[in-house]
Amino acid sequence: MISAYYFGAIALILIGFYAVLVKRNVLKMLVGLSIMETGVNLLLISVGYVSGRSAPILSEGIGPSNAVDPIPQALVLTAIVIGVATTALALTIVINLYEKYKTLDAEKIRRLRG
Amino acid sequence: MNELALIVFAPLVAGALAWLLDVKGIKEAIGLIGAAVPLAYTAMLYERASEGISFAVNLGVFDITFRLGQLNWFFVGIAVLVGFSAVLALVSTAKDSYEWLFALMSLSGVLGVFLAADLMTFFIFWEVMTFASFMMVLHYNRSASLKYFLLSVAGAYAMLIAITFIYAKVGSFDFGAVQTVFAQDAYAKMLGGQATFSSTELMALFGLFLVAFGVKAGMFPLHVWAPDAYSETNQSYTSMFSGVLSKAGVYGFILMYILIGTRLAVEFGAFRSASKFGYIIAFLGGLTIIVGGLLAALQEDIRKLFAYSSISQVGYILVGIGVGTALSMQAALFHALSHALFKGLFFLIVATIVHRTGKTTFADMGGLAEKMPFTFAMAFVAILSLAGIPPLVGFASKWVLFEAVISQNLPILGGMVFFGSAIGFVYLIRFTYAVWFGQRPTDLDDTKDAPLPLAIAMTILALFNVVLGIAPGLVAKELNKMFGKEIIGGNLFVLDLGFGKYNALAILIYLIAGLIVAAVIYFLGAKVRRVPVTDTYQSGNPVTMDYNLTIRRNFFLPLKEALAFWLRISFDRLYRDIGAWVEDLAEVLRNYIYNGNVQSYAWYLLIILLILAMWGV
């Protein structure tokens, strides 16, 4: 039986991917990309979860033996930053596209480009 | 410093020096020294060739090894002789130092190929030779050089695959080791045991070698690069290109016999009186003779005519190799020597004509015999030699070859080689008549004779044509040494095969006597009528003006019309069509797949992920 975390995360990835594949508006594609990122991050986190353990911060009563896996959390911390950076860059490109072509429809932009 | 290393690397070093210095006079001198050193050393090593000299350098990954035996000495002798003449001719025709570099580099390459003692060395020098000759063609014509390059690369890859294949199973590049393994395989196969190579692998190996060496030798249907490459480069260089570099392919075929011949013969059995795989080579050689000869007859350009004729002559050598008896092998080697001699001479003559007149087509020439008497004399020797008229070297080698084919009762191959000889006359009469005799166009009235370097180069080759023709026993002795027994008997002037004799000296004496008789009759006042050039007949009728076939224009138009159906079948066009088709396919794929739509790339990603998921990665 697949766990709800996995199912939800993969569903998010697929929803985002669907937006990238079939939407014609460039902004909606970007929204799809962001949703995909969220899904990937969730999936990464849920891979490292061990049921019944707490956050991996060494403190009173919590040793290495009763904390969840810290490695995916470090990975996700990096991945979030990368996601934000790529989104910001893509948004600047979208602004430039709109200034140049006066539309955000990918099909029309391709036709205008020739 | 070992002699073999000097022989192989001297031209390369000299070429590099000539290219670096690039001072008029000095670069020519350096280049000549670079070509003369191998010539001198090869002559010095004549006595020691039978004992076998070796030379090895370890490069860490593999060794570069050279070995000089009888067979290698024979080929190296051809290469240094014709190579030296070609380099000498370059003195008067080379455009710049670039040509010195690459002409000498290709000489180094071909010497390395002939002296190599392991497959890796063989391949490396093969590539050096190909690259240098490609650069020579590139200097004159880009499209011809690219055609040459493509076919050469196909051949080289075929050879490389075959070599790695052999290495993977044998574990050594050395010729001796490879030969031993294949010989053991042959015995094992005969006794019904297990062999290292299965018969499918062996067939693949044979096919790969056939492509690799066939390209370089100009075997039908891989000959399409040769006419363009031979005609679109410095004609002095072409005498080496056609005379020596095409022999590398021939040497490759002989090497294939030495290395894997036993196993091939056992595996594929016999066809008539030749082995089956040899018959394939011989039959392709026969087709090469016919196709090359017919196309040579239809050319309107001197350079193209001799390029096709060169292809046709290499066909003879392939027939000799393919028949595969000791006698036919000797005939093939003999013809390789004589082909290098007369074809080298022919291209030097063409170089002289092109250098002095700047024209290449028959239509612009005529009556040059009066203006260039020395070159005409040389051309006379070359024509007699190529047409196979005694007492020149071309006759001796062709005669031995015909005898070898006939004695094996191979009627189809026999018909092919005889047809080739007949068609040889057809294209030579054209060259003889259209260039040297007839009316001279007025713009050729101040043509000078050959420049000195070219004249010396031509004289060297012509002398060898005559001397080896009158004394074919000299060559026969060398060939017999290679096989270790007397296959072609006789003495210095007589070739004796046991079922036929050819006495060159007697024929020479008869010829001179006949010429004297003819001269006596002429000077005693025979009836002579001067024939005007327009006095031509067709089936006994005078030719009308609307069907004007002078020797200089469309002389073989009837032949062309008769062959119209066959001329439609052209391998050159086929390869070009395949090339165009591949380009179109690539263009279509690019348009449909790489279409600039981001979303379709995302779809590709999804599809690939799904495929991976289904595979369970």
Side-chain angles (χ1 to χ4, degrees), chain B residues 132-293:
Chain B
S133 49
F134 157 72
M135 291 301 270
M136 282 300 279
V137 183
L138 180 71
H139 205 38
Y140 284 77
N141 182 323
R142 192 159 169 276
S143 74
S145 72
L146 285 180
K147 194 192 281 187
Y148 173 44
F149 191 71
L150 263 178
L151 278 155
S152 287
V153 161
Y157 285 162
M159 189 176 8
L160 195 58
I161 292 167
I163 287 173
T164 45
F165 199 51
I166 289 175
Y167 183 73
K169 295 236 174 186
V170 178
S172 165
F173 288 123
D174 189 61
F175 283 163
V178 174
Q179 195 185 344
T180 317
V181 167
F182 275 98
Q184 280 167 350
D185 266 12
Y187 285 124
K189 219 42 200 181
M190 261 193 281
L191 304 170
Q194 269 302 315
T196 325
F197 290 80
S198 73
S199 71
T200 350
E201 288 167 344
L202 200 68
M203 215 170 324
L205 217 54
F206 173 60
L208 289 170
F209 275 135
L210 197 65
V211 170
F213 301 136
V215 166
K216 191 54 83 182
M219 186 179 76
F220 176 88
L222 303 167
H223 65 279
V224 296
W225 61 269
D228 290 2
Y230 287 170
S231 56
E232 293 295 342
T233 178
N234 189 328
Q235 292 304 297
S236 308
Y237 177 71
T238 307
S239 76
M240 180 156 66
F241 202 168
S242 144
V244 181
L245 267 63
S246 65
K247 300 297 167 302
V250 170
Y251 179 73
F253 277 117
I254 290 171
L255 200 64
M256 185 173 82
Y257 262 87
I258 293 171
L259 294 183
I260 64 179
T262 45
R263 176 69 208 284
L264 283 169
V266 169
E267 185 72 39
F268 298 131
F271 178 82
R272 293 176 165 280
S273 52
S275 58
K276 203 173 273 182
F277 80 99
Y279 198 85
I280 293 171
I281 298 175
F283 192 78
L284 286 170
L287 284 178
T288 312
I289 296 175
I290 291 174
V291 171

Side-chain angles (χ1 to χ4, degrees), chain B residues 379-505:
Chain B
F380 193 67
V381 171
I383 288 161
L384 292 186
S385 195
L386 172 58
I389 293 171
L392 287 153
V393 71
F395 176 83
S397 63
K398 274 190 190 177
W399 177 77
V400 179
L401 183 72
F402 288 172
E403 291 279 24
V405 175
I406 294 166
S407 67
Q408 289 297 303
N409 295 325
L410 296 163
I412 297 172
L413 294 181
M416 282 171 165
V417 292
F418 283 118
F419 178 83
S421 249
I423 204 82
F425 277 103
V426 169
Y427 57 75
L428 279 178
I429 195 74
R430 179 113 199 250
F431 171 74
T432 314
Y433 216 93
V435 175
W436 303 108
F437 304 132
Q439 292 160 311
R440 188 170 48 247
T442 45
D443 53 352
L444 296 183
D445 275 344
D446 48 2
T447 311
K448 292 190 199 60
D449 210 335
L452 187 66
L454 264 170
I456 297 171
M458 284 194 278
T459 315
I460 295 171
L461 289 180
L463 268 180
F464 270 91
N465 266 312
V466 175
V467 168
L468 293 182
I470 294 171
L474 284 171
V475 187
K477 198 173 71 171
E478 285 310 307
L479 296 172
N480 288 336
K481 265 192 215 167
M482 244 177 261
F483 286 76
K485 58 175 187 269
E486 191 165 279
I487 292 154
I488 302 179
N491 55 26
L492 198 58
F493 303 111
V494 184
L495 295 183
D496 184 1
L497 303 181
F499 48 82
K501 259 197 193 140
Y502 160 58
N503 189 334
L505 194 63

Side-chain angles (χ1 to χ4, degrees), chain A residues 4-104:
Chain A
Y5 300 118
Y6 287 173
F7 184 82
I10 291 174
L12 272 179
I13 293 176
L14 288 181
I15 289 164
F17 208 31
Y18 167 82
V20 171
L21 285 178
V22 302
K23 290 294 171 197
R24 287 174 59 172
N25 189 320
V26 184
L27 270 175
K28 287 183 181 172
M29 283 189 210
L30 285 187
V31 170
L33 271 178
S34 295
I35 294 172
M36 269 174 82
E37 273 159 23
T38 314
V40 169
N41 294 339
L42 275 174
L43 185 63
L44 275 174
I45 290 289
S46 49
V47 163
Y49 179 66
V50 187
S51 66
R53 296 190 185 180
S54 68
I57 303 166
L58 296 180
S59 58
E60 196 66 43
I62 296 174
S65 57
N66 43 16
V68 295
D69 192 350
I71 291 174
Q73 307 202 359
L75 286 178
V76 166
L77 210 57
T78 317
I80 288 170
V81 176
I82 293 172
V84 172
T86 50
T87 309
L89 181 63
L91 283 169
T92 60
I93 292 172
V94 170
I95 290 167
N96 278 329
L97 276 178
Y98 189 75
E99 280 180 358
K100 198 163 164 20
Y101 297 114
K102 299 286 179 272
T103 171
L104 283 182

